[in-house]
Amino acid sequence: MVSVNLGVLHYVLDHIYGAFVHRTKLTTPFFSKGWGGSKLDLLERFVKQLFPATESQNWPPTLVQPMWKTVWETRNACLREGIFRTPCDEQLINALPPESYNARVAFLVPKSVPPQKMACVVHLAGTGDHTFERRLRLGGPLLKENIATMVLESPFYGHRRPRLQRGAKLLCVSDLLLLGRVTIDESRSLLHWLEVEAGFGKTGICGLSMGGVHAAMVGSLHPRPIATLPFLAPHSAVVAFCEGVLKYATAWGALREDGEQKTGMTLEQARERLRSVLSLTDVTRFPIPKIPEAVIFVAATDDGYIPKHSVLELQKAWPGSEVRWVTGGHVSSFLLHNDEFRKAIVDALNRLQWRES
């Protein structure tokens, strides 16, 4: 009788999935157009500006006013979709593809409950999550807990995807930093709108994989206590693109050739340069959230994309935060453990005090 180590099986499944999706010639790799030229210099500067000299700097953000339309409405709930102009700095807007100028959100809200007695969580997109549906399915059952769900469509994804981009495969390294910085700015403006305009009693931010990294950054930078829930997320994009399965999906040859034209870059230097650039996304360098006890990481025991040490590094940097482990790999946990993600959302929100009206 042959016994099967399920942990190894989950890990191998991640690599099989990654090989099929990322290592075949069926899809283009990440960063096939190189580094991004002067845009990369701009983005490196803007990412560093996320750390204000004083707490009041960069706050409040630009207040957005989405234009809403009702998608459906029942006796107990309502789903609306909204559009708003991205509130980013003009230099960032000029760096964006025109398709990404307008942000889109879906907003699923319980009815017959005053907002000050409700919570709302903003859900950010993981790599390749181009639509609202998966995140709405995650948030839908939380309606019975009086928790609303707001889903943000990322720049470079869905309706905001540039015409020449295939799927989620960003064309330049600068696009990854731009996607992250714009997502952070838009998320902060949406949280400000939920708290100041809509009057929600509690707020939170969550995301899966890449979305979890962005959620951690937003939770770190928010000046008010919020629930922060990174799911299956590394502490840095370095882990994903230089160590995990996605290193096989990176156009190392294109990065070397782009750098070679300017500095005579070798392949090894291209790898070190990418590691250096993506180190800007290291969340352990970000401030500790206002209430670290309301930070819950959910990680997988046998994740082929995100090693355990990466999750534990972030927990160590944020004393008081909690890590919960689910059995599985990156792909299987994404599919099978939504109940654990929902429980983490409820528990993190319960660790917050209700805001006064």
Side-chain angles (χ1 to χ4, degrees):
M1 187 177 203
V2 179
S3 63
V4 178
N5 185 321
L6 285 179
V8 172
L9 180 60
H10 288 304
Y11 185 84
V12 169
L13 283 174
D14 277 351
H15 280 265
I16 291 173
Y17 175 83
F20 176 75
V21 173
H22 302 307
R23 299 180 74 172
T24 66
K25 300 296 183 181
L26 298 176
T27 60
T28 56
F30 285 96
F31 317 137
S32 60
K33 299 297 183 184
W35 297 97
S38 60
K39 283 186 181 181
L40 184 57
D41 298 330
L42 171 71
L43 266 299
E44 287 183 283
R45 188 169 76 251
F46 266 90
V47 170
K48 291 174 183 176
Q49 288 175 4
L50 282 172
F51 306 102
T54 63
E55 191 169 279
S56 61
Q57 190 178 334
N58 299 339
W59 193 265
T62 302
L63 186 62
V64 294
Q65 293 291 352
M67 297 174 57
W68 298 105
K69 69 172 184 179
T70 299
V71 178
W72 55 256
E73 189 169 4
T74 67
R75 186 168 55 88
N76 298 317
C78 175
L79 175 65
R80 294 187 291 166
E81 290 184 4
I83 298 176
F84 60 93
R85 173 84 167 180
T86 185
C88 299
D89 183 280
E90 281 299 319
Q91 285 183 281
L92 290 177
I93 292 175
N94 291 335
L96 280 170
E99 295 91 340
S100 292
Y101 289 170
N102 290 326
R104 296 175 66 246
V105 289
F107 194 23
L108 181 61
V109 190
K111 292 177 66 177
S112 305
V113 182
Q116 64 269 25
K117 298 296 183 183
M118 281 196 291
C120 184
V121 176
V122 178
H123 293 237
L124 303 182
T127 301
D129 190 355
H130 289 271
T131 69
F132 296 141
E133 279 69 25
R134 188 201 66 78
R135 286 170 283 164
L136 287 174
R137 286 197 302 271
L138 177 62
L142 296 172
L143 289 169
K144 65 180 182 293
E145 307 282 349
N146 290 333
I147 298 173
T149 292
M150 178 172 278
V151 179
L152 174 64
E153 183 181 69
S154 290
F156 295 92
Y157 278 22
H159 291 80
R160 307 178 72 185
R161 186 178 67 189
R163 184 174 53 86
L164 296 178
Q165 179 183 304
R166 299 290 298 277
K169 300 299 178 62
L170 302 173
L171 296 175
C172 299
V173 174
S174 60
D175 293 343
L176 183 64
L177 294 184
L178 185 56
L179 186 159
R181 175 59 203 253
V182 173
T183 296
I184 290 168
D185 286 353
E186 291 174 355
S187 300
R188 299 184 81 196
S189 289
L190 288 171
L191 286 166
H192 189 52
W193 182 87
L194 288 167
E195 293 164 357
V196 173
E197 291 288 304
F200 278 84
K202 297 180 181 182
T203 52
I205 186 93
C206 76
L208 189 145
S209 196
M210 176 185 73
V213 178
H214 297 152
M217 293 175 175
V218 174
S220 162
L221 296 169
H222 201 67
R224 304 188 187 102
I226 63 171
T228 303
L229 298 126
F231 300 144
L232 310 178
H235 74 284
S236 164
V238 170
V239 176
F241 286 96
C242 300
E243 299 173 17
V245 173
L246 289 183
K247 68 183 178 184
Y248 302 114
T250 300
W252 296 110
L255 294 178
R256 179 190 61 78
E257 290 171 11
D258 190 24
E260 188 178 39
Q261 296 173 9
K262 303 179 182 68
T263 62
M265 183 178 286
T266 65
L267 188 58
E268 186 56 36
Q269 287 171 332
R271 295 181 191 277
E272 287 305 311
R273 171 64 172 147
L274 185 64
R275 182 177 287 272
S276 174
V277 170
L278 296 187
S279 68
L280 291 169
T281 67
D282 186 344
V283 187
T284 64
R285 300 180 179 182
F286 280 61
I288 298 173
K290 290 292 176 289
I291 300 185
E293 292 77 14
V295 179
I296 300 177
F297 305 99
V298 181
T301 54
D302 301 283
D303 195 321
Y305 288 72
I306 313 300
K308 287 182 180 179
H309 75 81
S310 181
V311 180
L312 295 175
E313 280 186 44
L314 193 44
Q315 184 199 27
K316 182 180 178 182
W318 291 356
S321 62
E322 179 185 353
V323 175
R324 296 181 180 180
W325 297 97
V326 295
T327 301
H330 200 76
V331 177
S332 61
S333 298
F334 163 79
L335 296 172
L336 300 176
H337 291 301
N338 281 335
D339 284 342
E340 284 82 357
F341 299 149
R342 293 186 193 104
K343 186 176 189 309
I345 290 172
V346 172
D347 291 347
L349 288 167
N350 283 339
R351 297 173 186 180
L352 298 176
Q353 298 292 321
W354 290 99
R355 294 189 187 90
E356 295 184 11
S357 299

